Amino acid sequence: VDACASQFNMQCPRFIGKDPSPDGHKGQIATNVLAYSFPRLPNGDREWVYVNPPWVLIPALWAHFRQCHVRGVIVYPQMLSKQWFHTIQQEAKESWRFAKKEEHDVFLQPSLAYQRSVGPVPWDVWASRFDFA
């Protein structure tokens, strides 16, 4: 499940959006990621989550994922002045630099319905795999 998405930029078939989908998009499973409990799937497996969140939500999301025993991947900027950056780097199973500063536009969406870009990013972008068993 894409934990912070919309019907225009979702990267997984199922997503948690900020607002209810105006046309009732069938892939949207919830509207508040911090209120979603991430129940086990029908086969008993834990949910796998992809999240490229608004940065202001990163500390709360990380704590929520830990509490809900979630596993997945988070994409985030290298902000050395933020404690959450160091916490993720320490607690993640593995981390890798997803893109280098100004290397390319990592936020250009693949959807034809959402061809918007912020341009090359002014920071390194990281991805970390986490598993809060």
Side-chain angles (χ1 to χ4, degrees):
V1 65
D2 190 335
C4 289
S6 73
Q7 68 187 36
F8 301 110
N9 67 0
M10 63 184 191
Q11 301 297 306
C12 301
R14 298 168 57 238
F15 69 97
I16 300 171
K18 182 176 81 169
D19 301 309
S21 178
D23 63 355
H25 193 281
K26 65 180 182 175
Q28 186 169 356
I29 61 170
T31 57
N32 182 348
V33 65
L34 295 174
Y36 189 70
S37 64
F38 293 96
R40 290 199 176 256
L41 299 172
N43 65 1
D45 286 345
R46 289 178 296 129
E47 187 78 77
W48 187 91
V49 174
Y50 163 81
V51 62
N52 184 351
W55 307 326
V56 68
L57 291 182
I58 291 174
L61 280 171
W62 196 252
H64 185 62
F65 291 159
R66 187 184 302 112
Q67 180 182 2
C68 293
H69 306 286
V70 177
R71 62 190 176 132
V73 171
I74 185 170
V75 176
Y76 55 100
Q78 179 174 313
M79 293 188 165
L80 300 175
S81 64
K82 302 292 185 183
Q83 181 58 44
W84 54 256
F85 176 82
H86 303 285
T87 300
I88 292 171
Q89 293 277 304
Q90 291 168 357
E91 294 181 358
K93 296 294 182 186
E94 64 179 313
S95 297
W96 60 96
R97 185 174 286 118
F98 183 65
K100 291 184 178 181
K101 178 180 177 177
E102 298 181 7
E103 182 178 56
H104 62 281
D105 185 355
V106 297
F107 295 109
L108 181 61
Q109 299 296 326
S111 167
L112 293 177
Y114 191 75
Q115 289 291 331
R116 189 171 66 110
S117 168
V118 297
V121 293
W123 51 78
D124 287 356
V125 178
W126 287 79
S128 290
R129 184 178 63 84
F130 58 91
D131 190 346
F132 295 115

